[in-house]
Amino acid sequence: NAGVTQTPKFRVLKTGQSMTLLCAQDMNHEYMYWYRQDPGMGLRLIHYSVGEGTTAKGEVPDGYNVSRLKKQNFLLGLESAAPSQTSVYFCASKPRETFYNEQFFGPGTRLTVL
Amino acid sequence: AQSVTQLGSHVSVSEGALVLLRCNYSSSVPPYLFWYVQYPNQGLQLLLKYTTGATLVKGINGFEAEFKKSETSFHLTKPSAHMSDAAEYFCAVSDGTGGFKTIFGAGTRLFVKA
């Protein structure tokens, strides 16, 4: 099993450009999450999904959109990138069956917005 | 609302010394508590978790943590630090509601001196 994979690993954007980050998991997990990690702030939840076709806002959703068209994929979109969105983005997934299970994380995408 | 406070953004210990990373939480319901570790340029991986039952939890790599409800604490310890323990450690809490969202602390970076 590959676990949770993220594409791309690195990206540099100019202000105003758009891009989509792809998260894929092969563990048949119901729940998926997008976080951003900034120095001294830990991980903050952007959006999450409890199943195919459903998404919900997290702690810091502004400037981001998501879609979960397939159970194994969770896409994070930036329509008009801003320098404040420079961060490391992590995707995670979790099975539904045991609610106290931990989340499984991808390796991250480092995004720089100039 | 849940929250997590990690005391000390940086902790430095000598190899072979005791490791103690502090975590305090707040939660309106019985919490599920986690410690994750992040090595450089990698995603987070689970170190250990507390759900119910025994309050002393053992994890991987010789780490353990004790859930103390009266002190709302979940401190992470290891009797003898190893150079390979150098990483960033995150304490996290979930109450199992709202898509089983997890709130992460700001993180503590552990340095191990030879």
Side-chain angles (χ1 to χ4, degrees):
Chain A
N1 287 351
V4 180
T5 58
Q6 293 183 232
T7 308
K9 288 184 170 52
F10 302 94
R11 187 71 185 269
V12 178
L13 290 178
K14 294 181 179 179
T15 297
Q17 287 185 318
S18 63
M19 77 163 295
T20 301
L21 281 66
L22 170 63
C23 175
Q25 53 95 3
D26 61 1
M27 298 175 283
N28 202 36
H29 287 171
E30 291 288 342
Y31 298 108
M32 296 187 74
Y33 309 84
W34 274 108
Y35 294 92
R36 59 178 290 172
Q37 182 180 28
D38 302 293
M41 303 188 75
L43 275 74
R44 292 181 292 168
L45 183 65
I46 304 171
H47 286 280
Y48 66 98
S49 169
V50 299
E52 183 178 318
T54 69
T55 63
K57 294 180 180 180
E59 182 185 0
V60 289
D62 294 343
Y64 305 95
N65 56 75
V66 289
S67 64
R68 183 109 180 260
L69 299 180
K70 294 182 179 180
K71 184 177 182 179
Q72 64 268 34
N73 295 339
F74 195 29
L75 278 63
L76 177 71
L78 286 73
E79 290 187 347
S80 179
S84 60
Q85 294 178 303
T86 293
S87 187
V88 182
Y89 292 86
F90 287 98
C91 176
S93 69
K94 196 184 87 62
R96 179 176 61 185
E97 287 75 21
T98 47
F99 53 86
Y100 50 77
N101 256 7
E102 69 273 20
Q103 296 179 16
F104 295 80
F105 284 82
T109 295
R110 187 173 295 274
L111 174 67
T112 301
V113 183
L114 302 176
Chain B
Q2 302 170 91
S3 66
V4 176
T5 302
Q6 290 185 239
L7 299 176
S9 59
H10 297 85
V11 170
S12 182
V13 300
S14 298
E15 193 172 22
L18 171 72
V19 176
L20 171 61
L21 304 182
R22 299 179 187 272
C23 172
N24 288 90
Y25 70 91
S26 68
S27 177
S28 57
V29 298
Y32 304 106
L33 296 161
F34 306 84
W35 275 100
Y36 287 85
V37 60
Q38 184 182 33
Y39 298 103
N41 299 313
Q42 295 186 26
L44 280 69
Q45 54 184 282
L46 184 73
L47 207 52
L48 50 80
K49 64 183 177 184
Y50 168 79
T51 55
T52 58
T55 57
L56 184 61
V57 180
K58 295 186 184 300
I60 61 172
N61 300 337
F63 284 92
E64 60 183 38
E66 186 171 10
F67 169 58
K68 292 187 176 181
K69 184 178 179 181
S70 61
E71 299 177 8
T72 61
S73 68
F74 191 56
H75 302 331
L76 181 71
T77 61
K78 182 175 180 177
S80 177
H82 190 272
M83 296 297 288
S84 61
D85 294 327
E88 189 153 22
Y89 293 79
F90 293 92
C91 182
V93 62
S94 176
D95 65 4
T97 62
F100 308 118
K101 295 190 298 289
T102 301
I103 304 300
F104 290 84
T108 297
R109 185 167 294 279
L110 177 66
F111 298 92
V112 182
K113 299 175 292 186

